[in-house]
Amino acid sequence: MTDYKIHLLICGGTGCKSSESDEIKKSLKYWIDEANLKEEAQVVLTGCFGFCEKGPIVKVLPDNTFYVEVKPSDAEEIVKEHLLKGRPVQRLLYKDPHTNQQISDSKGMDFYKKQMRIALRNCGFINPESIHEYISRDGYMALGKCLTELTPEETIKEVKDSGLRGRGGGGFPTGLKWEITRNSEADQKYVVCNADEGDPGAFMDRSILEGDPHSVIEAMAICGYCIGADKGLVYIRAEYPLAIERLTTALRHAREYGLLGNDILGTGFNFEIDIRLGAGAFVCGEETALIHSMEGLRGEPTFKPPFPSVAGYLGKPTNVNNVETFANIPVIINKGAAWFSEIGTEKSKGTKVFALAGKINNVGLIEVPMGTTLREVIYDIGGGIKDGKEFKSVQTGGPSGGCLTKDFLDTPIDYDNLLAAGSMMGSGGMIVMDEDDCMVSIAKFYLEFTLEESCGKCSPCRIGNKRLHEILEKITKGYGEEKDIERLKLLSNVIKDTSLCGLGQSSPNPVLSTIANFEDEYLAHVQEQRCPSGQCKALLKYEIIEDLCTGCTLCFRNCPVGAITGERRQPHYIDQSLCIKCGACYEKCKFNAIKLS
């Protein structure tokens, strides 16, 4: 094996691959060969670095130089300047937006300073398709320790003592779930990894499977050892082809190295993992709906109890955890429960991965200790709001979460605090909104998603959410009444109390949280037929300011429906009954003579 002096790590996550990271790799290899450096420099496609806003990213080791927004055409300069002459390419370095200074090492970037990578520890550091690189970073050490030094009960105690809670949204104690499944007597048990990540804007689990699939495989084997299962299943949506490809490769390598299959590490423990593809239904993130889908049935939830830990896949005890939860397990076993439990808050231990998106400068994947405030995430790590606009709201927990105002920015992030604030942790989606967003429209947007994704099994979710959407549609079109706000509250609470599964029970959260925090916007819509943010098209009104209009006819000539009339050099007029609110007149007017109200 060649002992390379220089390693060039290229982000190979889905986002950067769509921005030609594969071409960057080919180009770097070409110029390295041209410079006769192929025995000294290695090019590696890794997992996601997290700083998606600045991708594609190329990291050069051992000096830790961090290049951003790299293009295939930059490869020649990187090789000739950096590798041959030892001079970093200045124009490709990250520029701090506050100081305008160039930063070459990612450790000096605000985006990374407050992060702590546990679940994402290997993403961006190793080749996810190389089992050797995973093993070199203590890979499969935890499995070996469990099989040779710890009993199943001792391993479960370690997980319980760590305080790890499920990262899929529910926050149920992981060790307790394992213990319940172990105590359920059956001739066959199953370990299931829930990789059905359906939240809009969320890509935490996908990135872990793309960047570090072996950590999940190792954790599933440990779970199988603890609960007495010899069969594992990964339920992953078919829309994740790269994650499926890398997971399939990792499974093959694990079998070849005797880390899956029969008599693992000569201990007599047998464990195998198969992949089950889902069609992308959001409701299949709920564990009973997921299990039905794997059984070839319609993806619908069922009443609990019995819980899957007692009667799950094929009626057998089944332990279901999501990708991020499993990714924490090997570290807990290797470093100990005491180490892990020192991170985070009293009731929420460890770190949490978030997909940071929306009107924020640093879009990307982050991992922070529990207890980090929303302000730190949005302003320190996220770099604040785009274009210097004012922060309005942050929505946590995906379509089932709530929208929180600036009054909650200093809230420490953990399961209990977010619930108390009217939102939820969810699987880790975090969408930031600015002053231009209409909160009534935001609530309607998320409700449209839940309507589309509802399985339709229970009436509160199927019919109740439809009625909620109709009321919101009525309000955004200017036909709302003040009593509609009370109807929204009443119906939302009924749906929360009577729906069958978590999807229906949490679907009204965006409605309730926006009413609680932005009731003035709802009142403006129903009392004044006005959208304060100017986003509800039906409530927009374009008017010509008579004193400023020069009668140039530019608006008249650009109106697609002939709603504007007037003589040349005379003030013009917009017929509101004909206006389609397209904004063409507003954009074309050179004299600021058209106002939007």
Side-chain angles (χ1 to χ4, degrees):
M1 184 179 292
T2 305
D3 186 15
Y4 296 102
K5 296 179 181 178
I6 302 169
H7 300 268
L8 293 94
L9 310 180
I10 306 170
C11 178
T14 294
C16 284
K17 282 178 78 71
S18 67
S19 298
E20 300 188 297
S21 63
D22 284 330
E23 294 303 314
I24 295 171
K25 178 182 177 182
K26 290 177 186 176
S27 193
L28 280 170
K29 281 191 167 184
Y30 172 81
W31 288 108
I32 285 171
D33 287 348
E34 287 290 301
N36 294 317
L37 292 174
K38 61 182 178 181
E39 298 299 320
E40 297 182 43
Q42 181 191 32
V43 181
V44 180
L45 207 61
T46 71
C48 179
F49 283 92
F51 206 170
C52 306
E53 183 73 29
K54 295 297 180 181
I57 291 166
V58 174
K59 191 172 187 177
V60 183
L61 300 177
D63 58 14
N64 215 39
T65 301
F66 195 88
Y67 291 129
V68 299
E69 297 177 322
V70 180
K71 299 179 177 63
S73 57
D74 296 323
E76 180 180 4
E77 189 175 0
I78 291 173
V79 172
K80 290 182 176 179
E81 287 295 312
H82 192 148
L83 303 194
L84 288 176
K85 299 178 183 178
R87 299 188 301 218
V89 182
Q90 296 296 317
R91 66 180 181 84
L92 295 176
L93 296 178
Y94 173 74
K95 183 180 286 188
D96 189 294
H98 304 295
T99 65
N100 282 327
Q101 291 183 338
Q102 290 175 314
I103 301 175
S104 62
D105 191 332
S106 57
K107 294 176 184 175
M109 299 175 188
D110 289 340
F111 182 79
Y112 289 104
K113 281 180 182 177
K114 293 191 174 182
Q115 292 196 50
M116 182 178 186
R117 290 186 152 216
I118 297 177
L120 299 176
R121 62 194 176 278
N122 291 326
C123 294
F125 289 94
I126 66 170
N127 177 356
E129 297 187 15
S130 169
I131 193 171
H132 301 111
E133 294 197 21
Y134 179 71
I135 290 173
S136 73
R137 289 177 63 86
D138 296 331
Y140 292 103
M141 290 286 290
L143 177 60
K145 180 179 180 180
C146 291
L147 295 181
T148 59
E149 299 178 25
L150 301 174
T151 64
E153 291 82 4
E154 289 172 333
T155 306
I156 290 174
K157 184 178 185 302
E158 196 75 7
V159 176
K160 287 178 70 176
D161 290 347
S162 73
L164 176 67
R165 295 171 65 174
R167 299 303 196 240
F172 191 81
T174 305
L176 179 59
K177 182 182 279 192
W178 288 21
E179 185 175 63
I180 294 170
T181 315
R182 176 171 179 78
N183 292 338
S184 298
E185 295 184 5
D187 57 347
Q188 177 70 56
K189 296 181 183 181
Y190 295 95
V191 176
V192 171
C193 175
N194 181 353
D196 188 68
E197 187 175 50
D199 294 12
F203 50 97
M204 300 78 60
D205 292 349
R206 186 196 75 199
S207 294
I208 292 172
L209 287 175
E210 289 177 355
D212 191 18
H214 282 285
S215 66
V216 177
I217 294 170
E218 180 178 13
M220 290 180 69
I222 291 170
C223 180
Y225 170 69
C226 290
I227 69 172
D230 61 5
K231 184 73 173 178
L233 300 161
V234 179
Y235 183 82
I236 182 170
R237 51 183 46 223
E239 294 100 322
Y240 283 179
L242 183 61
I244 294 167
E245 177 188 330
R246 289 180 176 169
L247 179 61
T248 302
T249 300
L251 288 171
R252 186 179 74 249
H253 290 165
R255 293 185 191 105
E256 291 172 357
Y257 278 70
L259 297 166
L260 278 182
N262 294 326
D263 194 25
I264 296 173
L265 299 177
T267 62
F269 172 61
N270 305 326
F271 193 74
E272 188 52 83
I273 297 175
D274 288 334
I275 297 175
R276 294 285 188 272
L277 300 184
F282 180 66
V283 73
C284 287
E286 197 278 336
E287 57 185 1
T288 60
L290 177 154
I291 288 169
H292 289 150
S293 179
M294 289 198 305
E295 292 172 337
L297 304 173
R298 181 178 173 134
E300 292 180 333
T302 52
F303 286 108
K304 294 182 284 189
F307 292 91
S309 292
V310 176
Y313 183 65
L314 302 179
K316 304 296 184 180
T318 304
N319 187 93
V320 183
N321 289 122
N322 86 322
V323 172
E324 186 186 342
T325 308
F326 278 127
N328 281 282
I329 296 297
V331 185
I332 291 171
I333 301 300
N334 284 331
K335 294 193 174 185
W339 172 84
F340 188 85
S341 63
E342 288 178 358
I343 305 163
T345 64
E346 182 183 356
K347 295 182 179 179
S348 300
K349 304 297 185 182
T351 59
K352 182 72 188 79
V353 180
F354 291 98
L356 196 55
K359 308 286 186 66
I360 193 161
N361 284 312
N362 298 336
V363 170
L365 193 70
I366 67 169
E367 184 173 2
V368 293
M370 294 282 195
T372 303
T373 65
L374 287 168
R375 186 183 301 277
E376 290 175 294
V377 169
I378 294 168
Y379 286 96
D380 296 342
I381 298 173
I385 311 304
K386 272 189 180 295
D387 302 321
K389 294 194 174 182
E390 187 178 341
F391 167 83
K392 187 169 191 177
S393 178
V394 58
Q395 203 262 359
T396 67
S400 303
C403 297
L404 305 178
T405 66
K406 60 184 178 182
D407 295 335
F408 296 96
L409 283 175
D410 294 310
T411 300
I413 298 170
D414 69 13
Y415 292 96
D416 302 314
N417 284 334
L418 289 179
L419 279 174
S423 188
M424 61 189 295
M425 182 78 74
S427 59
M430 188 178 288
I431 300 176
V432 178
M433 288 159 269
D434 68 12
E435 59 192 74
D436 294 333
D437 286 300
C438 168
M439 302 314 295
V440 184
S441 293
I442 289 292
K444 189 176 77 167
F445 166 77
Y446 283 114
L447 206 59
E448 285 169 354
F449 177 83
T450 358
L451 270 177
E452 182 71 24
E453 295 295 333
S454 172
C455 72
K457 183 174 182 177
C458 71
S459 299
C461 183
R462 182 182 72 250
I463 302 172
N465 281 324
K466 179 67 174 172
R467 298 291 88 84
L468 278 182
H469 183 266
E470 288 170 355
I471 297 172
L472 288 172
E473 185 77 9
K474 177 183 170 186
I475 292 173
T476 55
K477 287 190 174 179
Y479 303 117
E481 306 169 90
E482 205 163 328
K483 57 186 177 182
D484 285 331
I485 300 175
E486 290 305 315
R487 288 188 182 119
L488 286 173
K489 292 179 185 177
L490 176 62
L491 185 52
S492 293
N493 285 313
V494 170
I495 294 168
K496 282 176 70 73
D497 292 342
T498 58
S499 290
L500 173 61
C501 78
L503 187 150
Q505 292 161 11
S506 58
S507 59
N509 283 347
V511 178
L512 289 171
S513 65
T514 51
I515 292 175
N517 296 320
F518 301 96
E519 189 170 10
D520 57 325
E521 290 199 24
Y522 280 84
L523 290 172
H525 281 70
V526 299
Q527 291 178 346
E528 305 169 36
Q529 283 72 53
R530 179 179 64 87
C531 176
S533 302
Q535 296 297 315
C536 296
K537 197 172 181 180
L539 301 182
L540 297 180
K541 188 177 182 181
Y542 291 93
E543 295 179 298
I544 293 176
I545 304 171
E546 187 174 334
D547 292 342
L548 296 179
C549 180
T550 64
C552 69
T553 73
L554 194 59
C555 60
F556 168 79
R557 285 181 278 127
N558 282 278
C559 179
V561 293
I564 300 176
T565 56
E567 300 295 326
R568 181 177 287 276
R569 296 189 177 87
Q570 295 295 320
H572 283 45
Y573 168 77
I574 300 176
D575 186 340
Q576 298 298 327
S577 65
L578 297 176
C579 179
I580 60 170
K581 321 291 198 289
C582 67
C585 58
Y586 185 82
E587 293 172 3
K588 295 294 182 180
C589 183
K590 297 178 180 179
F591 304 100
N592 296 319
I594 298 178
K595 67 177 181 179
L596 180 60
S597 59

